[in-house]
Amino acid sequence: MSQPQGRIPTLTVDMLQDNRLFQGVEHGALSRLLTGLKGELAQPGEWIMREGDVADFMFVILNGELEVLSHGGGPSADVRVALLGPGDWVGEMAILDPQPQRSASVRSLAPSLLLRITVAQIQHLQQAELAVYAEVTKNIARELGRRLRVADRLIARTSAAMAKQYVLESRRPPKA
């Protein structure tokens, strides 16, 4: 990721506490966690993840705005599937699922301060700070559950609308 001319702000425990990923993690544990983490800056228009790339880290969004895009395996152009901002994170599937490739692309829409967390850092957390690891994975699971409920509702609405359209179209007489 390219770095702008300004310097990266010093990361603080308060910055982590403001993010839902670290909800429930004690102050002292966040302080210890900060020693191994670094912030990164992304500029508007910068790609921070590309669909199909190797997936071995995630980003926590401390400030700024990102968009998640996917082409869904089809020939069409990328479709925006999410807008993310402070309090969100992206790329968590790399942490939870050993699939080697990204399932979507992510681009910065505004100057964004991001916190990179690698698979190796999560594995270390699992061994050294089990309570922190448990809280972080619980928070990821909650967010994935929320996203799944939203996706289920959208699929149901889309499927119902498509089925209704099919019925209407199938009843029309053929054009001469």
Side-chain angles (χ1 to χ4, degrees), residues 43-133:
Q43 295 304 307
E46 185 176 349
W47 291 98
I48 65 166
M49 293 178 188
R50 290 286 205 160
E51 193 166 343
D53 283 355
V54 173
D56 60 354
F57 63 89
M58 66 180 282
F59 279 119
V60 175
I61 305 161
L62 301 175
N63 67 38
E65 186 176 40
L66 307 177
E67 67 176 341
V68 180
L69 301 141
S70 177
H71 67 272
S76 61
D78 285 340
V79 174
R80 180 186 286 170
V81 295
L83 281 174
L84 305 172
D88 292 323
W89 56 85
V90 66
E92 70 279 354
M93 295 307 292
I95 303 300
L96 300 176
D97 185 14
Q99 296 298 316
Q101 296 180 326
R102 297 277 180 208
S103 62
S105 297
V106 180
R107 180 172 47 202
S108 180
L109 295 176
S112 301
L113 177 59
L114 309 171
L115 180 66
R116 181 187 296 250
I117 302 176
T118 66
V119 170
Q121 288 168 321
I122 289 293
Q123 289 169 342
H124 173 75
L125 197 60
Q126 185 179 12
Q127 295 167 357
E129 298 265 1
L130 190 55
V132 175
Y133 174 80

Side-chain angles (χ1 to χ4, degrees), residues 101-173:
Q101 296 180 326
R102 297 277 180 208
S103 62
S105 297
V106 180
R107 180 172 47 202
S108 180
L109 295 176
S112 301
L113 177 59
L114 309 171
L115 180 66
R116 181 187 296 250
I117 302 176
T118 66
V119 170
Q121 288 168 321
I122 289 293
Q123 289 169 342
H124 173 75
L125 197 60
Q126 185 179 12
Q127 295 167 357
E129 298 265 1
L130 190 55
V132 175
Y133 174 80
E135 288 296 326
V136 167
T137 54
K138 179 176 74 175
N139 293 333
I140 290 173
R142 282 183 180 153
E143 177 63 13
L144 291 175
R146 185 195 68 76
R147 291 178 189 174
L148 183 57
R149 285 189 297 278
V150 168
D152 285 348
R153 282 193 304 270
L154 291 173
I155 289 167
R157 286 183 201 151
T158 303
S159 296
M162 287 177 68
K164 184 177 181 179
Q165 186 64 32
Y166 173 79
V167 169
L168 292 173
E169 293 289 327
S170 67
R171 290 185 178 166
R172 286 190 184 152

